[in-house]
Amino acid sequence: MDSALASDTPYLRESVRTAVKILIVGHFAVGKTTYVGTLSEIRPLRTEERMTQAGASVDDLAGIKDKTTTTVAMDFGRLTLSDDLVLYLFGAPGQQRFTRLWDDLARGALGALILVDTARLQESFAVMDIVEKQGLPYAVAVNHFEGAPRFPEAEVREALDLAASTPLVSCDARDRVSSTEALISLVDHLLTLDGEQP
């Protein structure tokens, strides 16, 4: 699926002076590839492979309808915010066997947006642990899937044991507007933290 914003010009404007790296993370099949593709202004780089019977014992497909491919390295997209500022979006694979890649993907990142699914919240804890071990500030976005249960924000916040200062928003990874709003919540959080530095 091509990005709705994909352009024929993959090059950066000459005026761009600042590049910011953001991680898009979450458990297996939570919508990271879709999210990066929705926001990327260039054709996103995807490292997806077809799922095979050999992986059936490793990748739990319970409750995941029609999943046929999985990210095996990363997703990459770009979003120009102004004449001199660009965001690079790096989507990390969600399975535990790929967590070694996270060390490289996290290097130089300013923060992470953690996508979660209310039908599988318990799968988010391992991801949140990795992000916290990397020392990255983060925001959490509930990616609303059709038929997934919806809960009040306070209940989701409590279930995930989020600090009061950690942003929690809802989004649909297929929708550019709500995906942008989720990203803005992370950027606002990063700016707030930067303003608190002595």
mmCIF file of all heavy atoms in Angstrom, residues 23-27 32-33 36 71 73-75 90-95 98 101-102 105:
data_model
loop_
_atom_site.group_PDB
_atom_site.id
_atom_site.type_symbol
_atom_site.label_atom_id
_atom_site.label_comp_id
_atom_site.label_asym_id
_atom_site.label_seq_id
_atom_site.Cartn_x
_atom_site.Cartn_y
_atom_site.Cartn_z
ATOM 1 N N LEU A 23 11.035 6.701 16.822
ATOM 2 C CA LEU A 23 10.700 5.282 16.694
ATOM 3 C C LEU A 23 9.193 5.099 16.788
ATOM 4 O O LEU A 23 8.536 5.722 17.614
ATOM 5 C CB LEU A 23 11.360 4.457 17.794
ATOM 6 C CG LEU A 23 12.864 4.323 17.792
ATOM 7 C CD1 LEU A 23 13.299 3.321 18.854
ATOM 8 C CD2 LEU A 23 13.390 3.910 16.447
ATOM 9 N N ILE A 24 8.672 4.222 15.945
ATOM 10 C CA ILE A 24 7.278 3.789 16.015
ATOM 11 C C ILE A 24 7.340 2.322 16.420
ATOM 12 O O ILE A 24 7.845 1.485 15.665
ATOM 13 C CB ILE A 24 6.552 3.949 14.656
ATOM 14 C CG1 ILE A 24 6.744 5.371 14.095
ATOM 15 C CG2 ILE A 24 5.090 3.570 14.793
ATOM 16 C CD1 ILE A 24 6.239 6.488 14.976
ATOM 17 N N VAL A 25 6.872 2.023 17.627
ATOM 18 C CA VAL A 25 7.033 0.683 18.176
ATOM 19 C C VAL A 25 5.704 0.146 18.689
ATOM 20 O O VAL A 25 4.735 0.868 18.829
ATOM 21 C CB VAL A 25 8.098 0.668 19.308
ATOM 22 C CG1 VAL A 25 9.450 1.104 18.785
ATOM 23 C CG2 VAL A 25 7.669 1.556 20.469
ATOM 24 N N GLY A 26 5.714 -1.126 18.966
ATOM 25 C CA GLY A 26 4.520 -1.781 19.496
ATOM 26 C C GLY A 26 4.647 -3.273 19.312
ATOM 27 O O GLY A 26 5.576 -3.759 18.665
ATOM 28 N N HIS A 27 3.712 -3.994 19.892
ATOM 29 C CA HIS A 27 3.770 -5.447 19.794
ATOM 30 C C HIS A 27 3.429 -5.917 18.378
ATOM 31 O O HIS A 27 3.043 -5.123 17.508
ATOM 32 C CB HIS A 27 2.853 -6.100 20.848
ATOM 33 C CG HIS A 27 1.420 -5.678 20.754
ATOM 34 N ND1 HIS A 27 0.580 -6.112 19.763
ATOM 35 C CD2 HIS A 27 0.695 -4.846 21.544
ATOM 36 C CE1 HIS A 27 -0.619 -5.569 19.936
ATOM 37 N NE2 HIS A 27 -0.574 -4.806 21.014
ATOM 38 N N LYS A 32 2.153 -0.878 13.057
ATOM 39 C CA LYS A 32 3.312 0.009 12.880
ATOM 40 C C LYS A 32 3.611 0.277 11.400
ATOM 41 O O LYS A 32 3.845 1.418 11.015
ATOM 42 C CB LYS A 32 4.543 -0.594 13.564
ATOM 43 C CG LYS A 32 4.360 -0.816 15.057
ATOM 44 C CD LYS A 32 5.528 -1.544 15.682
ATOM 45 C CE LYS A 32 5.722 -2.951 15.168
ATOM 46 N NZ LYS A 32 4.657 -3.895 15.551
ATOM 47 N N THR A 33 3.590 -0.767 10.592
ATOM 48 C CA THR A 33 3.863 -0.607 9.156
ATOM 49 C C THR A 33 2.814 0.292 8.518
ATOM 50 O O THR A 33 3.142 1.186 7.731
ATOM 51 C CB THR A 33 3.895 -1.981 8.463
ATOM 52 O OG1 THR A 33 4.965 -2.754 9.017
ATOM 53 C CG2 THR A 33 4.103 -1.847 6.961
ATOM 54 N N VAL A 36 3.447 4.050 9.696
ATOM 55 C CA VAL A 36 4.550 4.713 8.995
ATOM 56 C C VAL A 36 4.146 5.024 7.556
ATOM 57 O O VAL A 36 4.389 6.126 7.044
ATOM 58 C CB VAL A 36 5.839 3.858 9.041
ATOM 59 C CG1 VAL A 36 6.923 4.438 8.127
ATOM 60 C CG2 VAL A 36 6.357 3.749 10.474
ATOM 61 N N THR A 71 7.064 -7.603 9.558
ATOM 62 C CA THR A 71 8.290 -6.825 9.416
ATOM 63 C C THR A 71 9.452 -7.602 10.029
ATOM 64 O O THR A 71 9.352 -8.068 11.152
ATOM 65 C CB THR A 71 8.146 -5.457 10.113
ATOM 66 O OG1 THR A 71 7.049 -4.758 9.518
ATOM 67 C CG2 THR A 71 9.409 -4.628 9.980
ATOM 68 N N ALA A 73 12.857 -6.341 9.750
ATOM 69 C CA ALA A 73 13.966 -5.445 10.081
ATOM 70 C C ALA A 73 13.425 -4.103 10.555
ATOM 71 O O ALA A 73 13.567 -3.741 11.712
ATOM 72 C CB ALA A 73 14.907 -5.258 8.904
ATOM 73 N N MET A 74 12.783 -3.352 9.671
ATOM 74 C CA MET A 74 12.229 -2.055 10.054
ATOM 75 C C MET A 74 11.344 -1.529 8.933
ATOM 76 O O MET A 74 11.357 -2.023 7.815
ATOM 77 C CB MET A 74 13.334 -1.045 10.328
ATOM 78 C CG MET A 74 14.087 -0.642 9.077
ATOM 79 S SD MET A 74 15.259 0.672 9.407
ATOM 80 C CE MET A 74 15.881 0.960 7.751
ATOM 81 N N ASP A 75 10.574 -0.504 9.284
ATOM 82 C CA ASP A 75 9.876 0.326 8.309
ATOM 83 C C ASP A 75 10.528 1.705 8.409
ATOM 84 O O ASP A 75 11.002 2.103 9.475
ATOM 85 C CB ASP A 75 8.384 0.456 8.659
ATOM 86 C CG ASP A 75 7.676 -0.886 8.661
ATOM 87 O OD1 ASP A 75 7.744 -1.584 7.639
ATOM 88 O OD2 ASP A 75 7.057 -1.228 9.680
ATOM 89 N N PHE A 90 11.029 5.514 12.115
ATOM 90 C CA PHE A 90 11.562 4.162 12.062
ATOM 91 C C PHE A 90 10.614 3.229 12.796
ATOM 92 O O PHE A 90 10.441 3.357 14.007
ATOM 93 C CB PHE A 90 12.945 4.094 12.724
ATOM 94 C CG PHE A 90 14.052 4.710 11.914
ATOM 95 C CD1 PHE A 90 14.230 6.083 11.890
ATOM 96 C CD2 PHE A 90 14.901 3.912 11.177
ATOM 97 C CE1 PHE A 90 15.250 6.650 11.143
ATOM 98 C CE2 PHE A 90 15.921 4.467 10.427
ATOM 99 C CZ PHE A 90 16.094 5.845 10.401
ATOM 100 N N GLY A 91 9.985 2.318 12.067
ATOM 101 C CA GLY A 91 9.105 1.329 12.676
ATOM 102 C C GLY A 91 9.898 0.080 13.021
ATOM 103 O O GLY A 91 10.556 -0.512 12.159
ATOM 104 N N ALA A 92 9.865 -0.310 14.293
ATOM 105 C CA ALA A 92 10.612 -1.485 14.751
ATOM 106 C C ALA A 92 9.730 -2.725 14.721
ATOM 107 O O ALA A 92 8.537 -2.642 14.999
ATOM 108 C CB ALA A 92 11.124 -1.254 16.172
ATOM 109 N N PRO A 93 10.292 -3.886 14.398
ATOM 110 C CA PRO A 93 9.500 -5.123 14.422
ATOM 111 C C PRO A 93 9.056 -5.428 15.851
ATOM 112 O O PRO A 93 9.764 -5.111 16.811
ATOM 113 C CB PRO A 93 10.456 -6.191 13.890
ATOM 114 C CG PRO A 93 11.820 -5.622 14.045
ATOM 115 C CD PRO A 93 11.689 -4.134 14.017
ATOM 116 N N GLY A 94 7.881 -6.046 15.978
ATOM 117 C CA GLY A 94 7.288 -6.235 17.290
ATOM 118 C C GLY A 94 7.590 -7.538 17.996
ATOM 119 O O GLY A 94 7.366 -7.651 19.189
ATOM 120 N N GLN A 95 8.111 -8.530 17.279
ATOM 121 C CA GLN A 95 8.363 -9.821 17.925
ATOM 122 C C GLN A 95 9.628 -9.776 18.775
ATOM 123 O O GLN A 95 10.604 -9.114 18.439
ATOM 124 C CB GLN A 95 8.500 -10.945 16.884
ATOM 125 C CG GLN A 95 7.255 -11.173 16.075
ATOM 126 C CD GLN A 95 7.323 -10.463 14.740
ATOM 127 O OE1 GLN A 95 7.688 -9.297 14.671
ATOM 128 N NE2 GLN A 95 6.967 -11.159 13.678
ATOM 129 N N PHE A 98 13.302 -10.091 17.510
ATOM 130 C CA PHE A 98 13.938 -8.987 16.787
ATOM 131 C C PHE A 98 14.397 -7.862 17.713
ATOM 132 O O PHE A 98 14.829 -6.812 17.241
ATOM 133 C CB PHE A 98 12.991 -8.417 15.733
ATOM 134 C CG PHE A 98 12.661 -9.381 14.625
ATOM 135 C CD1 PHE A 98 11.347 -9.744 14.394
ATOM 136 C CD2 PHE A 98 13.647 -9.916 13.824
ATOM 137 C CE1 PHE A 98 11.021 -10.627 13.370
ATOM 138 C CE2 PHE A 98 13.343 -10.802 12.803
ATOM 139 C CZ PHE A 98 12.033 -11.159 12.581
ATOM 140 N N LEU A 101 17.622 -5.740 17.253
ATOM 141 C CA LEU A 101 17.637 -4.659 16.269
ATOM 142 C C LEU A 101 17.324 -3.317 16.909
ATOM 143 O O LEU A 101 17.725 -2.264 16.406
ATOM 144 C CB LEU A 101 16.588 -4.923 15.179
ATOM 145 C CG LEU A 101 16.848 -6.057 14.211
ATOM 146 C CD1 LEU A 101 15.612 -6.316 13.364
ATOM 147 C CD2 LEU A 101 18.043 -5.723 13.328
ATOM 148 N N TRP A 102 16.600 -3.347 18.009
ATOM 149 C CA TRP A 102 16.167 -2.109 18.642
ATOM 150 C C TRP A 102 17.349 -1.266 19.120
ATOM 151 O O TRP A 102 17.250 -0.040 19.149
ATOM 152 C CB TRP A 102 15.237 -2.413 19.805
ATOM 153 C CG TRP A 102 13.863 -2.825 19.389
ATOM 154 C CD1 TRP A 102 13.519 -3.667 18.381
ATOM 155 C CD2 TRP A 102 12.641 -2.409 19.987
ATOM 156 N NE1 TRP A 102 12.163 -3.813 18.322
ATOM 157 C CE2 TRP A 102 11.602 -3.053 19.306
ATOM 158 C CE3 TRP A 102 12.327 -1.578 21.051
ATOM 159 C CZ2 TRP A 102 10.268 -2.866 19.627
ATOM 160 C CZ3 TRP A 102 10.999 -1.402 21.374
ATOM 161 C CH2 TRP A 102 9.989 -2.027 20.671
ATOM 162 N N LEU A 105 18.240 0.687 16.103
ATOM 163 C CA LEU A 105 17.164 1.598 15.720
ATOM 164 C C LEU A 105 17.004 2.734 16.723
ATOM 165 O O LEU A 105 16.674 3.855 16.351
ATOM 166 C CB LEU A 105 15.843 0.845 15.575
ATOM 167 C CG LEU A 105 15.745 -0.117 14.398
ATOM 168 C CD1 LEU A 105 14.417 -0.871 14.431
ATOM 169 C CD2 LEU A 105 15.886 0.623 13.076
#
